Amino acid sequence: MSDPTGLIVAAVVLVAATVFGLARARRGGRLREGGRGDAPRLHPTELGAELGERATLVQFSTALCAACPGTRRLLAGVAAATPGVRHVEIDAEVRLDLVRRLNVMRTPTVLVLDHAGRVVRRASGAPSESDILSALELATAD
């Protein structure tokens, strides 16, 4: 009979990869706190666009990102329908300085900024419309 070690190792790797994939999928797109008092702030010169009067939706994208076009449409639609909210898309491959500073690990990454440019929520992966709307309520509450 052959040694079952290879089969056991393959099974362990398969289980570990499945658990990792499920955990990543579960967290993907969920908006979480951007930080408290030490939350990063983005200036219009860094964004290449003015901040929204009430809030700004910042999307980091790359050319090969499959979820980025859908996220772009979602955020642009929400910004168009919400007075004082602006959508800004940043090419992560071009703006590596911001990618590093803001710890962007995948695309799309969405940041919700308040009127002063402070990051109040962020999502790695494509967020839902309801999550975006909830984050905007938080960002615009004064």
Side-chain angles (χ1 to χ4, degrees):
M1 183 150 260
S2 64
D3 185 16
T5 304
L7 184 59
I8 293 170
V9 169
V12 168
V13 168
L14 181 62
V15 168
T18 300
V19 168
F20 174 77
L22 291 173
R24 185 169 187 217
R26 185 169 176 231
R27 287 189 60 202
R30 290 225 169 136
L31 285 158
R32 61 187 194 280
E33 269 191 61
R36 296 194 197 292
D38 62 344
R41 289 184 186 266
L42 293 173
H43 192 270
T45 56
E46 294 176 298
L47 296 175
E50 290 299 316
L51 295 171
E53 291 175 21
R54 297 178 61 214
T56 305
L57 302 172
V58 178
Q59 175 184 347
F60 283 88
S61 301
T62 55
L64 297 177
C65 170
C68 289
T71 300
R72 178 184 310 117
R73 286 188 296 275
L74 170 68
L75 297 180
V78 168
T82 311
V85 175
R86 180 178 293 248
H87 171 232
V88 177
E89 187 170 6
I90 296 175
D91 185 341
E93 296 168 303
V94 173
R95 294 302 310 271
L96 291 176
D97 58 323
L98 286 177
V99 166
R100 288 183 188 109
R101 186 176 131 213
L102 299 168
N103 199 29
V104 174
M105 303 301 273
R106 66 188 265 205
T107 56
T109 289
V110 175
L111 306 177
V112 180
L113 311 180
D114 66 10
H115 69 281
R118 185 176 61 96
V119 178
V120 294
R121 290 282 186 262
R122 69 179 290 149
S124 293
S128 69
E129 183 175 7
S130 62
D131 283 346
I132 291 294
L133 294 173
S134 294
L136 284 174
E137 283 182 33
L138 185 91
T140 58
D142 284 330

